[in-house]
Amino acid sequence: MNPHTSIWLFQSLHALGITLWLSIAAINNWRGFTGSAGAVGGTMSMAPLLAEPAVDTPLLSRRVCSPMLQRVALAVVLALQLVGAAAFWIGSGTLLIGGGIDAARPWLNAGLGAFAGFLFAMHLGGLWFAYWIRQESLQHTHLALLLWVLAAFFLFNHAWA
């Protein structure tokens, strides 16, 4: 296999993997909207900080207990996931069917932008609601996914051999 084909194969598989990941994430949040809104609501209401032993912090003044606002927050994340998935379907299809990376790149970058957008929304929202105190694994997941977006941006935008 020549270097050009091997790079194309790796980029294509990676693009397809992100396409499927974003699609499944969006489907899960669409189908399980109430449960996902409850999870978002747990962070926004800062419920983990109230669990025994309670964490007494002035940050609790930031609590948002409105189910409507919690659903709106999830709707924003879901909208960005849908935009990202749609852009990746187009970009992956373009890359796989023969348009090449140059033709696929704008779509892949748009998808990565939407992906980074909802990750920053979750990460910054979590930071605002002090999730680092009791939801460290969630914060680590958001950071790891941001690193994945950065690596993918490099993969799709670097001038390879």
Side-chain angles (χ1 to χ4, degrees):
M1 180 180 310
N2 66 45
H4 177 75
T5 302
S6 65
I7 291 167
W8 169 83
L9 180 60
F10 185 75
Q11 288 174 325
S12 297
L13 290 173
H14 201 82
L16 187 58
I18 293 174
T19 301
L20 295 173
W21 192 96
L22 286 168
S23 298
I24 292 168
I27 290 166
N28 287 349
N29 281 329
W30 181 272
R31 298 269 328 231
F33 191 87
T34 301
S36 295
V40 169
T43 297
M44 291 177 69
S45 69
M46 302 171 88
L49 299 180
L50 301 174
E52 290 300 326
V55 176
D56 185 28
T57 174
L59 297 177
L60 286 168
S61 66
R62 297 177 177 175
R63 293 177 69 210
V64 174
C65 296
S66 164
M68 170 71 97
L69 290 176
Q70 295 164 357
R71 287 191 297 273
V72 167
L74 178 60
V76 169
V77 167
L78 178 57
L80 288 167
Q81 287 174 335
L82 289 168
V83 167
F88 257 90
W89 276 108
I90 295 168
S92 294
T94 301
L95 186 58
L96 287 165
I97 294 174
I101 190 65
D102 290 334
R105 186 176 291 120
W107 292 105
L108 299 174
N109 285 341
L112 289 172
F115 196 170
F118 78 77
L119 288 172
F120 277 121
M122 293 189 300
H123 188 62
L124 295 171
L127 185 62
W128 180 257
F129 295 111
Y131 78 160
W132 76 89
I133 297 172
R134 290 262 172 93
Q135 294 175 289
E136 302 90 357
S137 62
L138 185 56
Q139 182 182 34
H140 293 157
T141 298
H142 294 158
L143 288 169
L145 288 170
L146 279 170
L147 290 174
W148 185 24
V149 169
L150 288 171
F153 184 83
F154 180 73
L155 173 65
F156 298 134
N157 288 280
H158 180 71
W160 299 100

